[in-house]
Amino acid sequence: MSPLEERVINQFVEAATAIDGVDTDLAAALRAELTAEKGPNAEKLAALIRSSAQGSVA
Amino acid sequence: MIQILALHIEEFRGIRNLDITIDGNSFAIHGPNGSGKSGVVDAIGFAFTGTIARLSGTGTAGISVLKHGPHVHKRDDPGAAKVALKFRDTASGQTGIITRSVKNPASFDLQPDTAELRQALAIVQQHPELTLSRREIIKFILSEAGKRAGEVQALLRLEDLDAQRKALKSAVGKVARDKTTAHGSFETAQAAASRHFDLPRLTPDEVLRVVNQSRSVLGLEQLTSLTLSTDLKQGLDDGEVEVAFDKPSALRDIAAAQSWLHDQSAIEAATAALLDPLATLKADPALLDSLKHRAFVETGLTLVEADSSCPLCDTEWESADELRLHLQQKVASSQAAAQQEQQIKTAASNLVKLMRAGQALIRATFKLATAWGQPEVQEAIQSYDDQLQILEGSLATVPGALGVYEQLDAAPFAAPASLTASLASLANQLAAKPDTSAQARARNSLIVAAERWSQMRLARVSLDSATKSHDLADKIYKAYCQVADEALTALYEEVETRFSQFYQRINADDEDGFRAELEPSAGKLDLLVDFYGEGMFPPGAYHSEGHQDGMGVCLYLALVEKLLGPAFRFAVLDDVVMSVDSNHRRQFCDLLRLEFPDVQFIITTHDEIWAKQMQSSQLIGKKSQIRFQGWSVATGPAAEQGADFWDRIAQDLAKDDVPGAAHKLRRGLESELPDLAEELRARVTYRGDAKYELGELLSAVSGRHNDWLKKAANSAASWNLADAKQRVVELKEARSKALLAQNAENWAVNALVHYNEWATMTKGDFGPVVKAWQEFLSLFRCTNNNCRSWISVTGFPGKENALRCQCGEYNLNLVPKGG
C-alpha cells in the first residue's frame, strides 16, 4: 500500500466513524475488508453494512 | 533506484555482440530506423525484468521470449542469448552486474549478490513505467476520463484506491437492490391489505372504520389509534379457527389475480424492453463473446490468489498484482459489452418486479384453493407459479436471460386455459358458499385483516432495514469518495502544476501562459488545458498532435516525479523525443537537463539532428551516445560510441579514404552550420525550403560573429573593464588565425563547398582542410570540456545582451554602459 493509500484509508475510517450508524467496530471491519490481501469484496462489505443497519433498526 | 553503467548484449534480438559504456550519464542511442536501437531498449528491459515488452500484449500471440528473444541465428540456442548490465544503486552507492539468459529468463545472476542491490533491482522491476515508448504517451492525454484515471492511477500505483471505491460502490448497489426487493414486498403486502379492506388507500381513519365495524359486531372494544404494530383482532378468541374465510375478501383476491392475468400490457411492455437488448446480443456474436469473456475474467479476478498463477489458465505471472491489473484491463476493454449487460440487467429487473407482483396475486389464490378448492385447481395455480419462479431465476443473469429468450418471446405470462378455468371455478365455488352469520363474517374478516396487517408490518420492518442499509452504504461510499477525491485533488494539483511548468518550458515562445487542470471525480480524471488564453478545453480539441505528444511527455514526467520523488533517477525514453516538434528541441533538452539533473535518461531516436541537439544542449556528453549505422541479419548493427564526425573523418584519413572523409566533412558541416547560424542569429537570405548553401551559411556565421565581437569590444571599452577588453582581443586574434588558415585552404574549401570536387584530392591535400575547419568551428565552442556547447546570443532581437555558452565560461557582455 502506497503512503497515499494509507492516508486515504485512515482518513476514511475517521470520516466513517463520524457517520451516524457507523461504530468503531464497523469502521474497523470496513478497513480490514477494504485493505484485504485479495482485494475488497463487495458482497462482504454489503453484509457488514446490512448487519450494522439491521442492528440499529432492531 | 539504479543507474546504468554499462551494457553487454550477446545474441539477443537483432544484436550479435555489443558493449556500451554508459557510466551513469544520460545517453543517446541514435541511428536510422531498423538499425537495432530498440534491441538495446529490449535488452535493458530484459536484464531488469526477464521480459521483453514488445513481445507481449496485443498482436503478439505465438511470440515468446524463449523462442523469439535470441538472435534469429540462435533461435534454437536460447542459452547463447544473454544480457549483462552493470549498474549502480543510487541509495547505497554499490555497483553490481545482473546477467540474465533467455534460456532461463525468470532467474538472474547478480554479482555481488547483496541485499541492497537486490532491493534496488526490485524497485526497478516494480516500475515498468520507467520505460516510456512513443505509443504510450498519448494514453495520458487523449483517453476518456475514466480510462485516463485508470492509466494515471496505475502509474501512480493508486489501483487500490480504485478497487476500494469500486467495491464500496458495488456494495451500495447490492443493498440498493435489497431495498428495491423490500419495497416490492411491502407494496405487495399493502395491496393484499387494500383488497381485503376493499379500500383504494389505507388511511388510518378508513382502516379503523372497517376494522371497528367488525369489532362492533363482535362486541369488542373499538380501536382508537392505528399503527403497523396494532393487533387488529386484540381481544378476539380465534383459537378454534383453522382457516379464516372472508368470502368478499376471497373473491376480491381471485378477481385481482384474474385481472392481472387478463390485462398484461405492463408486463408485455417490460418483456419487450428486455427482448430488444437480448436480440442485439444474440445477433452480434463478437459482443456476446466479449460479454462471456467479461463474465469469465470477472470470475477469475475474484479467484486470484497470492501465488500469482492465473486461476483461469494456470499461467505463471510475475506477481498477483500484475495478474490482477491484466485481468482488470481485460474487463475494462469490453465497454460495449458492459453497456449492453447493464441495459439487460435493468430491463430484467423491471420485469422481475412486475412478475413478483403478479406472483403475489396468484399465491393469494393458491391459499384459497388449498383450503377449499379441487386438487386440479391447486395444480393449475401451482404450475403457473412454478413457471414464474423458474423464469425469475433465469433472469438473474445475462446468460440466463439469453437462455430463455425464446420462452420470453412466446408470451410466457399469458394465462393457460386450465388456469383461467380453475380460477373461474374457484370463484364460483367460493361465491356459492352459503352466507354465514354476521358474527362469523366479522370474526373471519378480523382474522384475515390482522394477518395481512401483520404481513404489512413485517414487510415494513424489512423495508426500513433495507432503507437504512442503503442510506448507510451511500453515506459510507460518499465519505470514501470525498476523502479519496480530496487526497487525489491535492496530488493532482501538484502534478498539474509541474505538468504546466514543464509544458511552458518547452513552449515558452508561444504558450508561456499554458496551464492544465486535472479534476478527479468518483473514479474519473478529467483533463483540461489552456488554448492560447481562449479557455480550457480537452487536449484533443484544438492542440495539434505534436503539442498533444508534448503534453503526454510532460504529464508523464510530472507523474513519475510525483511517484518516485528523489528516487526518480532513471528513465528510458524510447523514440519519445520524436514527439517534440523541431522548433522546441532545445527547450525539451533543457527541460530534461535542468528539471531532472539527477536523472539518467536513456534516449533513442532515429533523428541525427536530435542527437546533436542533445549534445549541444549538454543533455548528453560527446561520449554518451552510440550511433547505429545500419544493420544486417548476419552481423547485427554497426555501432560506434562517442565518435563525432571529426573522429570519423580521422578514421577515414587513416585509411587513405579521402572521398569518405570529404563526404563526412560536407555532411557534418551541413548539419552543424544551420545550428550555429541559429545560435549566432546569422543573417541569410530566407529560403522557403530551408535549403541553405554551405557558402552562404559560412559567410553569414563568420560575419555575424565578427559583429558580436565588435559589440563586445565596445561594451568592454565603455565599462572600462580590462579583463573583458583583453578577452575580446584574444578571441579576435583566434578568429583571425582561424580565418587565415581557412583562407589558405580556400581552394579546397571552395571545391568542397561549391563543386564537391573531393574525389580529386589526396590525403595530403585534405588533412589541412579538415584542420582549418576544425579551428574555424572551435571559435564558436566553449573550451570547457564539460560544456563544449555552441556559443549563442541571448536577449531579445535588437536588445541582445550577451554572447555566451551554456556553462557561462564563455560570456561576453554586449551591452555598453548607458545602453
Side-chain angles (χ1 to χ4, degrees), chain B residues 464-527:
Chain B
D464 286 348
S465 175
T467 303
K468 200 142 192 164
S469 293
H470 181 239
D471 291 347
L472 188 58
D474 196 48
K475 283 178 187 168
I476 288 170
Y477 172 65
K478 283 177 177 160
Y480 184 89
C481 285
Q482 188 179 348
V483 166
D485 282 354
E486 281 173 6
L488 288 174
T489 299
L491 174 85
Y492 290 140
E493 274 175 5
E494 292 174 36
V495 170
E496 76 186 17
T497 301
R498 291 296 279 161
F499 166 39
S500 301
Q501 286 170 352
F502 296 163
Y503 188 80
Q504 282 171 13
R505 186 184 265 281
I506 296 179
N507 299 278
D509 55 340
D510 65 344
E511 285 195 88
D512 59 348
F514 175 88
R515 66 191 176 87
E517 286 175 2
L518 282 164
E519 191 67 38
S521 62
K524 293 186 174 180
L525 183 63
D526 290 313
L527 171 62

Side-chain angles (χ1 to χ4, degrees), chain B residues 10-17 34-36 70-75 629-638:
Chain B
E10 213 172 301
E11 304 293 5
F12 181 83
R13 302 291 287 152
I15 298 172
R16 303 305 303 259
N17 195 312
S35 62
H71 184 271
V72 66
H73 287 176
K74 296 286 181 181
R75 60 186 179 277
Q629 308 169 65
W631 176 90
S632 72
V633 175
T635 63

Side-chain angles (χ1 to χ4, degrees), chain B residues 538-612:
Chain B
Y542 295 114
H543 278 93
S544 69
E545 286 185 13
H547 283 84
Q548 289 167 26
D549 280 0
M551 285 179 209
V553 181
C554 291
L555 183 54
Y556 164 81
L557 289 170
L559 289 167
V560 177
E561 180 188 59
K562 184 66 203 167
L563 172 67
L564 295 172
F568 181 29
R569 300 293 298 273
F570 163 76
V572 178
L573 303 181
D574 186 13
D575 213 19
V576 164
V577 291
M578 288 308 298
S579 305
V580 179
D581 63 283
S582 58
N583 294 331
H584 298 110
R585 285 173 179 154
R586 168 179 291 281
Q587 292 87 333
F588 183 76
C589 290
D590 286 347
L591 168 70
L592 298 186
R593 185 172 61 86
L594 299 173
E595 295 285 354
F596 303 97
D598 298 324
V599 179
Q600 178 188 34
F601 289 104
I602 307 291
I603 302 168
T604 69
T605 176
H606 60 262
D607 188 335
E608 291 287 314
I609 305 295
W610 248 114
K612 268 179 1 78

Side-chain angles (χ1 to χ4, degrees), chain B residues 98-119:
Chain B
I98 178 173
T99 306
R100 208 185 281 263
S101 163
V102 169
K103 188 176 182 181
N104 195 0
S107 66
F108 60 83
D109 175 66
L110 178 62
Q111 294 297 335
D113 195 341
T114 69
E116 290 84 354
L117 292 177
R118 279 192 174 264
Q119 172 66 15

Side-chain angles (χ1 to χ4, degrees), chain B residues 385-429:
Chain B
D385 185 33
D386 288 348
Q387 184 186 322
L388 291 187
Q389 193 66 30
I390 292 167
L391 203 53
E392 184 183 328
S394 299
L395 295 179
T397 63
V398 175
L402 210 55
V404 293
Y405 179 86
E406 276 75 20
Q407 192 183 346
L408 286 170
D409 199 27
F413 307 109
S418 60
L419 178 61
T420 311
S422 292
L423 289 177
S425 155
L426 183 61
N428 288 336
Q429 188 186 345

Side-chain angles (χ1 to χ4, degrees), chain B residues 171-194:
Chain B
V172 174
K174 287 177 190 299
V175 291
R177 282 194 287 282
D178 294 347
K179 184 180 163 186
T180 303
T181 303
H183 193 260
S185 298
F186 180 69
E187 283 183 336
T188 299
Q190 212 172 19
S194 290

